[in-house]
Amino acid sequence: DEALRLQIEYYFSVSNLCKDVYLRTQCMDADGFVSLAHICSFKRVQALTDDPNDVRRALRASTKLDVVDHPKHPHLAKVRTNDQPERWTAPMVLPAMTSSDDDDLPLANANGRDADLAHNNDDNK
C-alpha cells in the first residue's frame, strides 16, 4: 500500500505536475481531479497492482491527496492534489471566432498585406 501511495502522490507532486503536460491537459478535469480508473491504467501503478480497491485503500492514508469516492459507483472515484489544485488545471479555451467577429478586422489584399496599409503606402508613392 505504501508503494502505491507514494507513486500516486508523486504523480500529483509539484515536481511532476510542472512537467507532466499529459496528466494536466488530457487527464485532469476542470477541478484538478483525475479518475481513479485513469490512474489505475498507468504502467507503474499496474506494476504494483491490478486491483483498483488496492489503490483506493492505499490512498486513504495520503495527507497530500483528495480522494472523492462515488457513493454508488466505486469505479468513478477521483483523485487530486490538495495543494492548490486549481493551479494545475488546463487554461480555459477561448470560443472560436464567428464570422460576425471579424467585421472589425482589417482587410487583407491578395498578397496578404493589410489592405488599408497597402492603400496608405500607395498614396505615398
Side-chain angles (χ1 to χ4, degrees):
D1 281 5
E2 184 179 7
L4 272 172
R5 179 183 54 81
L6 291 173
Q7 181 62 47
I8 297 167
E9 285 178 346
Y10 169 75
Y11 291 142
F12 290 93
S13 68
V14 170
S15 61
N16 186 62
L17 289 172
C18 283
K19 60 187 176 193
D20 195 338
V21 176
Y22 173 76
L23 183 65
R24 292 191 337 257
T25 62
Q26 302 299 311
C27 305
M28 270 187 192
D29 67 14
D31 296 316
F33 283 102
V34 177
S35 73
L36 185 67
H38 206 101
I39 291 169
C40 289
S41 74
F42 295 161
K43 288 180 183 180
R44 291 188 183 198
V45 173
Q46 289 179 340
L48 295 169
T49 186
D50 60 354
D51 186 351
N53 291 318
D54 290 343
V55 176
R56 287 191 11 245
R57 189 172 34 257
L59 294 180
R60 285 189 198 130
S62 178
T63 59
K64 299 178 180 182
L65 302 175
D66 291 333
V67 180
V68 176
D69 283 314
H70 191 281
K72 294 183 181 179
H73 305 285
H75 64 281
L76 296 178
K78 53 189 182 177
V79 182
R80 73 177 180 185
T81 180
N82 61 17
D83 180 17
Q84 301 177 359
E86 65 282 350
R87 72 179 167 171
W88 301 112
T89 58
M92 188 170 77
V93 176
L94 296 175
M97 194 164 77
T98 64
S99 61
S100 63
D101 291 337
D102 63 7
D103 292 341
D104 296 330
L105 296 176
L107 298 174
N109 62 16
N111 65 12
R113 291 179 24 197
D114 182 344
D116 292 333
L117 180 61
H119 176 72
N120 290 339
N121 285 343
D122 290 339
D123 289 346
N124 294 332
K125 288 183 181 178

